[in-house]
Amino acid sequence: DTEVTQTPKHLVMGMTNKKSLKCEQHMGHRAMYWYKQKAKKPPELMFVYSYEKLSINESVPSRFSPECPNSSLLNLHLHALQPEDSALYLCASSQSPATGAPSYEQYFGPGTRLTVT
Amino acid sequence: KNQVEQSPQSLIILEGKNCTLQCNYTVSPFSNLRWYKQDTGRGPVSLTIMTFSENTKSNGRYTATLDADTKQSSLHITASQLSDSASYICVVSGGSNDYKLSFGAGTTVTVRA
């Protein structure tokens, strides 16, 4: 199984709402990622978890709060978002680079299309 | 600064024709280079991944080449199909952090009947 699943596929939320994006993988990967992608732009890294610990936070505003409950799940909690946060949010997973493997594929989920009104 | 540049930005080809996409990078140290296909509104799907010692890799009608000396890669699509219409993204890993990938801006390919 080389699949990363994300729910929901689409989400519309107001600026005062609280919502969560979910990501799941069962490939035994110990690194999981959140990316934000605007139209016609490459994905931008937001967070990286390695062995369920936050490894990288790319100076993301606190209205985005990641959580890694276990090695298979990754959540992104959203609160008080702005319209400019509307984007495709992608989750990815890979073997952890800490293993020293020469190459490690990042497998992407289908994304959640988020619209903030 | 680690950079990945792709050309052309977009191209239109007729069904059945071939095309080649280019990627130049300045990421150092280099770990590997991947080509991803991304359909509109969907997540990227890996086509090929090449390490320093590999100079060509195929996946069906997709063939990627890598010249690590000149830091150039290409993706050749043979006998294009309508389903090949997508954005093709060149991604390089390495640099100062193995978790971080350097993404190119992508080439948008449109295949017309």
Side-chain angles (χ1 to χ4, degrees):
Chain A
D1 182 6
T2 59
E3 187 178 26
V4 176
T5 59
Q6 290 187 243
T7 56
K9 290 184 178 180
H10 303 276
L11 177 62
V12 179
M13 60 185 291
M15 290 188 285
T16 58
N17 291 159
K18 286 185 180 181
K19 296 286 185 183
S20 297
L21 309 184
K22 297 185 183 301
C23 174
E24 189 169 4
Q25 58 88 14
H26 294 287
M27 294 177 276
H29 290 165
R30 302 309 295 272
M32 297 187 75
Y33 310 74
W34 279 116
Y35 289 87
K36 173 184 178 181
Q37 186 177 26
K38 302 286 273 186
K40 300 188 185 300
K41 297 289 187 182
E44 297 176 6
L45 184 64
M46 300 174 71
F47 303 103
V48 179
Y49 273 83
S50 179
Y51 292 91
E52 295 91 69
K53 288 185 171 31
L54 184 63
S55 178
I56 295 175
N57 176 343
E58 290 287 84
S59 301
V60 179
S62 59
R63 57 185 183 269
F64 296 91
S65 176
E67 177 195 20
C68 190
N70 60 54
S71 60
S72 300
L73 294 175
L74 185 66
N75 298 322
L76 185 62
H77 302 298
L78 315 173
H79 175 54
L81 294 193
Q82 303 297 310
E84 58 265 29
D85 296 323
S86 298
L88 181 68
Y89 287 83
L90 295 166
C91 173
S93 72
S94 74
Q95 295 178 32
S96 173
T99 64
S103 63
Y104 42 92
E105 188 68 68
Q106 277 195 26
Y107 294 85
F108 286 84
T112 293
R113 171 67 62 190
L114 174 66
T115 302
V116 182
T117 60
Chain B
K1 180 181 177 182
N2 293 326
Q3 288 189 314
V4 179
E5 295 184 352
Q6 293 187 240
S7 62
Q9 184 176 18
S10 63
L11 66 91
I12 299 172
I13 57 173
L14 293 177
E15 188 177 14
K17 299 297 186 181
N18 305 334
C19 67
T20 300
L21 317 179
Q22 301 291 341
C23 173
N24 297 332
Y25 63 92
T26 60
V27 178
S28 182
F30 172 84
S31 180
N32 58 68
L33 183 146
R34 314 107 183 265
W35 284 94
Y36 283 93
K37 177 186 179 187
Q38 186 174 23
D39 293 314
T40 301
R42 305 285 295 174
V45 175
S46 178
L47 295 176
T48 64
I49 180 169
M50 290 181 289
T51 58
F52 185 89
S53 59
E54 298 173 296
N55 55 26
T56 187
K57 185 163 281 189
S58 292
N59 178 358
R61 295 180 294 100
Y62 301 101
T63 299
T65 65
L66 173 64
D67 186 333
D69 291 331
T70 62
K71 299 187 177 181
Q72 295 179 327
S73 177
S74 67
L75 180 69
H76 187 76
I77 305 175
T78 303
S80 60
Q81 300 177 357
L82 297 178
S83 59
D84 292 331
S85 294
S87 178
Y88 292 84
I89 307 173
C90 176
V91 182
V92 181
S93 73
S96 60
N97 189 308
D98 284 339
Y99 289 102
K100 294 186 179 183
L101 304 179
S102 297
F103 288 82
T107 293
T108 300
V109 174
T110 302
V111 181
R112 291 189 174 162

